[in-house]
Amino acid sequence: MRLADTGVQEGVIDLDSSTNRPNIVFLFPDQFRADFAGCYGADWLQTPNIDRIAQEGVRYANGFSQSPVCVPARTALLTGANAIRNGVTNNSQNLRADWREAGMRTWPEILNEAGYYTAGIGKMHFYPWDERRGFQYRVICEDKRWLHVRDDYYHHLKKHGLRKLHGDEMAGYHENKGAIIHDIPWEHSWDHFVGSKAVKFIERYGNEGPFAMMVGFPGPHCPYDPNEQFLAGIDESKLPVAAPEVPGHHPSLRETNVSGNRRPWNGVDYGEFPDETKVTIRKHYSGLVQQIDYEVGSILDALEGQGLLENTYVVLASDHGDYLGDHNLIGKASFFESAIRIPFLAMGPGVAGGQVVEDLVELRDVTATMLRWVGIQELPVWYDAMPLPGRGMPGDRGRDRIFGMLTDGWMNYDGRFKLHRYRSGEALLFDIENDPQEQVSLLDNPAYSDVRHRLEGELFAEVMASIEAASQDRLAQHGDMSQAPGFGRESWVREFPHPPVM
C-alpha cells in the first residue's frame, strides 16, 4: 500500500510534478568479486548482461566494501552509515531493535515516504529473517547456508517435492572443497527463483507508479554449486592463478579462516588447499557468475518489455568479494583486495554510457545515490554515504580514503597505499599500485615509515569520529547545560531521541 502522506519536511524532497519519476533496480549478488566479470577483464567467462550495464552507463574501477562480511556490509547499505556508526561490525550483530525510536530510518522507509513502492526480493540477511526493514513488498530467499529458514523459497521447493540441500549431500563436496554440481535443477535453483520473482514484480507492478526494487541473489556465495549448463563456455586455461600466501603475513587470519570453515555451516577443511582444487573452485564460481548474468538479462528484458528501462536506474554491486584461494584463504572477512574489491556499475536516465570512473567509491554510497535519484536533496544527518560521481550521476567526486571496519580489523586505503590492522596483532602495508597481489608488506620498511604513520593517524581519527557519532543517542546534553535552570530541577528528563548532530 502506498503512503498518502510523505511526512517529510518541506525542502528536503523535491518531488517532480510529472508522473514520470524514475524507477530504481538494485541488483545485489552475494560475495561477487570484481575481477570475475567480463567488464572488469575476465576473458574466461561470458557476462554480456552485466557488461551491458557498464556499456550503457558507468563502471567504477575502484569500488569497495568497507566491511567485507555479509551483515555489516548490508547494514551499512541499509542505513547509509558505516559499521561503527550503526553498531554492526560482524555477522553475529544486528541493527538495534529501536532504531526508529533512536531517530534512524532505512533507505526503503525514506523512499516509501517519498512516494516509492519498495520491494526487497531474495537474500537480505535480516535478523529475524522475515523482517521487512521498510520494504513494502517482500519475497524471501535467504542465504544458501540457512537451511532451516522457512522462507518463500522453502515453500516453493516444498510445493515441487524438493527441499534445501546442504552441500555435503552432493557428490564431490569435500573432495572439491565445496565445488559441486547442484542436484536441484536450474528451474528451481536459488538464483533463478530470485530472478524470476524480480521479473514477476516488474510485470505485475512496474507500471503502477515509481518503484525501487533490491534484488538479492544468494550466489555466487559458496557452496560453489552452479547448474551444469552454466559451466559451458568457461575457458579453464585462462582462469587467473590464486595470489600466493606469503609466510608470516597472516598466520592468525589463516588459522581463523580454516577453523571457521570447518564449522557445520560449511564443514569443509581447507587445512590443505591444493592449487588444482583452487582451479576447480574458480571454475564453479565462474559458473555461478554466468548463472547470475542470465538472471540479470531476464530482469533487463522484463524492464524493456514493459517499456520501463529508459526510465529506470539500474545498479549492480555486491556486499564483498571472495578470496577463491588467494593468500591460501577462502571466503572473506579481511581487507585483502579479493575480499573488498567489488563490481560496481550503474546505468539510467541521463547517465553517459561507456564511462569508467577511477574515483574511490564505497558500497553504502549506493544509498545516498538512490535518495538523490528520487529527489531527496538533503541527506539524513546520520549518513556518511556519498552520492556516486560520474557524468549524469548525482555526485561530484569520489572518496579520498576507504576506511575498513570490522570487529577484529580496520583498514585505511588512499588509492595507492593500503594499511590493514587486526586484533590478532597482524598488520600489513601494501603499495597496491605496484603490488596488486599484496605480496610485499612495507610495514617495517623505513622508507615507508611516513606513509605508515600518516595512514595510521588518519585511520585512528576516522575510528574515533565514528565512535563519537555512534554515541549520539546517548548524549545527555548538547552544548553547556550547567547554567540552565531547567536542568537543575528534579523534574528534568533527558530527551530521547535527541535531534542528532552527527
Side-chain angles (χ1 to χ4, degrees):
M1 196 149 184
R2 308 298 178 93
L3 299 179
D5 181 5
T6 66
V8 179
Q9 294 180 350
E10 184 178 356
V12 176
I13 294 184
D14 178 18
L15 298 180
D16 193 327
S17 60
S18 74
T19 59
N20 198 34
R21 299 176 68 197
N23 306 303
I24 298 171
V25 173
F26 180 20
L27 305 171
F28 201 59
D30 190 350
Q31 203 156 301
F32 185 9
R33 57 185 275 176
D35 57 351
F36 272 65
C39 56
Y40 283 90
D43 60 356
W44 61 89
L45 47 65
Q46 290 81 44
T47 54
N49 300 299
I50 293 171
D51 299 347
R52 176 185 176 183
I53 302 173
Q55 292 160 3
E56 298 185 15
V58 54
R59 176 173 69 85
Y60 294 96
N62 292 295
F64 296 94
S65 172
Q66 74 154 193
S67 299
V69 181
C70 293
V71 178
R74 291 164 182 271
T75 306
L77 179 67
L78 199 68
T79 62
N82 73 41
I84 292 177
R85 286 173 177 242
N86 68 50
V88 179
T89 58
N90 66 55
N91 270 356
S92 299
Q93 297 170 343
N94 193 17
L95 188 64
R96 57 183 295 170
D98 64 343
W99 85 82
R100 294 184 182 93
E101 290 82 356
M104 182 177 284
R105 288 173 297 160
T106 65
W107 69 258
E109 291 176 313
I110 296 171
L111 265 60
N112 295 344
E113 294 170 354
Y116 273 70
Y117 189 35
T118 57
I121 297 176
K123 175 181 174 178
M124 297 293 145
H125 219 323
F126 297 157
Y127 299 143
W129 58 266
D130 54 352
E131 191 169 288
R132 286 182 175 265
R133 297 281 171 94
F135 286 113
Q136 295 159 305
Y137 180 99
R138 281 283 276 129
V139 177
I140 306 174
C141 178
E142 266 306 322
D143 193 299
K144 299 178 189 180
R145 298 300 190 172
W146 295 78
L147 302 180
H148 299 294
V149 171
R150 293 165 60 94
D151 54 14
D152 296 300
Y153 181 57
Y154 164 90
H155 293 292
H156 169 84
L157 291 177
K158 192 173 182 67
K159 177 182 176 181
H160 291 89
L162 301 167
R163 64 177 178 85
K164 297 180 183 181
L165 300 175
H166 193 289
D168 63 11
E169 298 180 73
M170 286 167 274
Y173 181 73
H174 291 287
E175 296 87 338
N176 294 322
K177 309 290 187 183
I180 53 175
I181 300 297
H182 210 293
D183 287 346
I184 293 176
W186 166 77
E187 59 268 24
H188 300 302
S189 64
W190 308 80
D191 293 322
H192 182 61
F193 176 82
V194 171
S196 63
K197 293 302 182 182
V199 167
K200 184 176 289 187
F201 175 87
I202 292 166
E203 293 174 345
R204 287 185 176 179
Y205 305 107
N207 284 295
E208 291 190 0
F211 68 87
M213 177 174 65
M214 181 173 175
V215 184
F217 292 105
H221 193 290
C222 68
Y224 308 106
D225 57 352
N227 293 96
E228 191 164 14
Q229 61 265 44
F230 290 100
L231 288 176
I234 295 171
D235 187 345
E236 199 170 318
S237 68
K238 292 184 178 180
L239 277 169
V241 175
E245 177 183 13
V246 178
H249 268 189
H250 55 280
S252 294
L253 285 178
R254 165 76 172 144
E255 180 181 350
T256 300
N257 189 254
V258 171
S259 61
N261 280 281
R262 285 175 178 155
R263 292 168 56 193
W265 69 270
N266 191 2
V268 175
D269 188 348
Y270 291 96
E272 297 293 331
F273 202 176
D275 290 342
E276 58 269 23
T277 305
K278 294 173 184 176
V279 172
T280 302
I281 287 173
R282 287 171 172 239
K283 180 178 179 180
H284 282 240
Y285 183 89
S286 298
L288 285 171
V289 170
Q290 292 192 149
Q291 192 164 317
I292 288 167
D293 184 78
Y294 179 92
E295 303 303 332
V296 170
S298 297
I299 292 169
L300 295 178
D301 288 346
L303 290 168
E304 280 189 311
Q306 296 296 311
L308 297 168
L309 187 59
E310 290 187 0
N311 193 40
T312 299
Y313 290 104
V314 179
V315 181
L316 185 141
S318 183
D319 50 354
H320 47 74
D322 190 321
Y323 305 121
L324 301 178
D326 284 343
H327 313 289
N328 219 21
L329 301 170
I330 197 74
K332 68 278 184 179
S334 79
F335 301 108
F336 284 114
E337 288 287 281
S338 45
I340 65 171
R341 194 175 282 269
I342 57 174
F344 215 132
L345 312 168
M347 61 182 278
V351 179
Q355 58 177 311
V356 178
V357 171
E358 300 285 345
D359 297 42
L360 303 178
V361 295
E362 208 279 319
L363 173 62
R364 70 187 183 284
D365 295 339
V366 173
T367 304
T369 303
M370 291 192 292
L371 266 56
R372 286 285 173 82
W373 278 337
V374 308
I376 299 174
Q377 301 305 315
E378 187 176 325
L379 298 177
V381 69
W382 65 84
Y383 266 42
D384 61 349
M386 298 171 53
L388 291 165
R391 299 192 306 279
M393 297 294 288
D396 55 10
R397 63 181 181 86
R399 293 179 173 272
D400 296 324
R401 304 286 185 273
I402 301 293
F403 293 105
M405 297 175 180
L406 292 171
T407 295
D408 54 0
W410 297 338
M411 176 196 76
N412 184 5
Y413 176 50
D414 67 4
R416 177 176 176 182
F417 293 103
K418 183 205 293 183
L419 172 75
H420 32 137
R421 283 193 165 278
Y422 300 94
R423 184 164 57 188
S424 64
E426 293 165 356
L428 300 162
L429 173 63
F430 297 109
D431 178 352
I432 301 300
E433 184 177 300
N434 296 304
D435 181 22
Q437 290 199 321
E438 296 167 290
Q439 298 292 294
V440 181
S441 178
L442 306 172
L443 189 77
D444 297 320
N445 187 327
Y448 293 89
S449 60
D450 289 346
V451 173
R452 171 184 173 177
H453 293 146
R454 173 177 60 80
L455 293 176
E456 287 178 335
E458 294 169 353
L459 176 60
F460 297 154
E462 178 69 13
V463 170
M464 291 175 188
S466 295
I467 291 171
E468 180 184 18
S471 304
Q472 290 294 313
D473 60 294
R474 279 152 278 176
L475 280 177
Q477 61 170 310
H478 286 272
D480 181 8
M481 292 199 307
S482 67
Q483 306 305 307
F487 179 69
R489 298 176 183 270
E490 292 84 350
S491 59
W492 183 84
V493 177
R494 178 172 75 95
E495 182 180 0
F496 180 82
H498 204 291
V501 295
M502 288 185 280

